[in-house]
Amino acid sequence: MEKTMYVVSACLIGEACRYNGEASLHPLVKELVDKGQVLAVCPEVLGGLSIPRPACEISGDRVITHDGLDLTDAYKEGAKKALDMALDAGCSRAVVKSRSPSCGKGVVYDGSFSGRLIPGNGVFAEMLVEFGIETITEDDLEVIWGWDEDA
Ligand code: SF4
């Protein structure tokens, strides 16, 4: 049987690509890597942003820094590149980093930089969902782990 391919937020496999220069390695994601089922992408780095970089939040239809700098174009460009890579690799499922303005799925910070969360998706997660890729965050992995018999 052909293996299911997952597109995964690169920070979850241990790449130190987060805005603060850190990684967010998740042990269950690492298991998928070891099974050869992962394409790792960092949409923000693909969009040309540096490591480290200013923290951003989604505010309406824009992505902004705390100082009000508008980085929406870089976020969109990186998300599109990451999506194209995922489609080329035949990924049908995604595991993305929770609450990120790129990768977050279901809830994101509200744009006030106060730690408040609101319903919504990051720029990349939104594209994944639009293109029919089944998308969850690392927070949901244990809940859904049994749902993939060939994982
Ligand atoms: Fe991780 Fe996604 Fe942020 Fe890159 S853009 S550091 S993959 S959450």
Side-chain angles (χ1 to χ4, degrees):
M1 187 174 24
E2 210 168 287
K3 283 182 179 177
T4 302
M5 283 300 293
Y6 293 76
V7 58
V8 164
S9 298
C11 54
L12 293 176
I13 74 159
E15 289 188 18
C17 53
R18 294 189 64 204
Y19 73 97
N20 57 5
E22 294 181 358
S24 297
L25 178 65
H26 192 289
L28 292 180
V29 176
K30 177 73 169 50
E31 282 186 28
L32 278 179
V33 174
D34 293 343
K35 290 174 180 166
Q37 291 178 260
V38 163
L39 170 76
V41 294
C42 177
E44 292 173 22
V45 170
L46 287 168
L49 299 174
S50 61
I51 306 169
R53 54 189 173 275
C56 281
E57 293 192 5
I58 293 178
S59 178
D61 63 353
R62 314 306 294 171
V63 185
I64 56 166
T65 68
H66 189 265
D67 296 333
L69 186 65
D70 188 333
L71 296 180
T72 309
D73 289 349
Y75 271 68
K76 283 187 175 170
E77 185 187 325
K80 181 69 175 60
K81 281 185 190 168
L83 175 69
D84 287 345
M85 290 166 68
L87 295 175
D88 284 350
C91 297
S92 57
R93 290 174 177 163
V95 184
V96 289
K97 176 77 184 74
S98 58
R99 299 182 293 278
S100 154
S102 287
C103 295
K105 162 93 192 310
V107 289
V108 290
Y109 292 109
D110 72 351
S112 66
F113 292 87
S114 61
R116 266 202 308 269
L117 293 164
I118 53 171
N121 296 328
V123 177
F124 178 48
E126 184 69 24
M127 286 186 194
L128 290 171
V129 170
E130 272 174 25
F131 275 77
I133 295 180
E134 194 170 354
T135 302
I136 62 164
T137 75
E138 81 282 15
D139 293 340
D140 298 324
L141 254 176
E142 274 174 280
V143 178
I144 58 91
W145 196 244
W147 113 151
D148 189 3
E149 295 302 324
D150 63 345

